[in-house]
Amino acid sequence: MRFRGHFRDMPGRGVHGSPKFLLTPKFILGISDQPFQKGAMPILSIVERTGVASEAKVVYIDAASVRAARIAMPKDRMVRAIAETFSALSDPTRIRIISALGGQELCVIDLARFLGLTGSAVSHQLRLLRGQRLVKYRKEGKIAYYSLDDDHIRNLMEECIKHVSVG
């Protein structure tokens, strides 16, 4: 394993694209950012100044808890999908749209007037929410009526409201 290839994608790059690591007189220490596979131990790479890495086993304080956390960790694809869902929910306008659709379906015109936005602004936000399968629509003639995709979205919003209200 070579130094540049192994740590190429790590955040915190220094000058001229070189990674920032703890420099000692003889070694450069860094932790790989490669996703761990279930059951695999993370590797601390000790890279000598020659650029050749040797691997050392990382010792945990509570190995059983770390093992349980690793087993409970969702797969990378699921983690990315969850992050994209929360990213879609990170906009106040989209939160208002989802809240408005919590109890009934509404058309774009009614949503726009209710929120004080233009129809195109609401349509743009609805397109993003539809892409994340947070809302769905049905057409009645030329009018599209939007509603939440399923009860999970309503439950997620209710839990978020409870979480924010407690603090």
Side-chain angles (χ1 to χ4, degrees), residues 20 22 38 51 57 74-75 98 104 134 142:
K20 292 180 186 176
L22 172 65
K38 285 193 178 177
K57 201 172 192 177
K75 301 248 188 243
I98 289 174
Q104 64 284 319
L134 298 174
K142 291 185 177 183

Side-chain angles (χ1 to χ4, degrees), residues 10-144:
M10 286 199 69
R13 294 203 174 280
V15 181
H16 305 295
S18 63
K20 292 180 186 176
F21 296 102
L22 172 65
L23 298 177
T24 64
K26 190 170 180 179
F27 300 104
I28 302 170
L29 302 176
I31 297 176
S32 170
D33 64 338
Q34 300 298 319
F36 303 129
Q37 295 175 345
K38 285 193 178 177
M41 291 297 290
I43 300 299
L44 172 68
S45 294
I46 303 171
V47 183
E48 295 186 41
R49 293 224 180 242
T50 60
V52 178
S54 59
E55 296 175 348
K57 201 172 192 177
V58 175
V59 179
Y60 291 106
I61 292 172
D62 188 353
S65 294
V66 172
R67 197 172 309 111
R70 184 174 292 118
I71 290 168
M73 180 73 64
K75 301 248 188 243
D76 286 345
R77 182 180 291 187
M78 179 64 69
V79 169
R80 281 194 290 289
I82 292 168
E84 288 174 5
T85 299
F86 278 108
S87 176
L89 294 173
S90 68
D91 182 78
T93 301
R94 292 191 284 263
I95 294 293
R96 288 184 184 100
I97 290 171
I98 289 174
S99 295
L101 297 175
Q104 64 284 319
E105 65 180 14
L106 293 169
C107 70
V108 176
I109 296 167
D110 289 341
L111 267 171
R113 289 182 181 153
F114 173 69
L115 298 172
L117 300 170
T118 64
S120 64
V122 171
S123 291
H124 173 74
Q125 299 300 333
L126 287 167
R127 181 178 53 84
L128 295 173
L129 291 170
R130 213 173 55 237
Q132 291 299 316
R133 295 185 356 226
L134 298 174
V135 299
K136 62 184 178 184
Y137 74 99
R138 68 173 180 83
K139 288 200 92 159
E140 194 172 287
K142 291 185 177 183
I143 299 175

Side-chain angles (χ1 to χ4, degrees), residues 86 154-167:
F86 278 108
R154 184 177 298 106
N155 295 339
L156 180 61
M157 283 297 297
E158 289 171 0
E159 290 299 319
C160 286
I161 290 168
K162 285 179 195 174
H163 175 73
V164 173
S165 298
V166 170

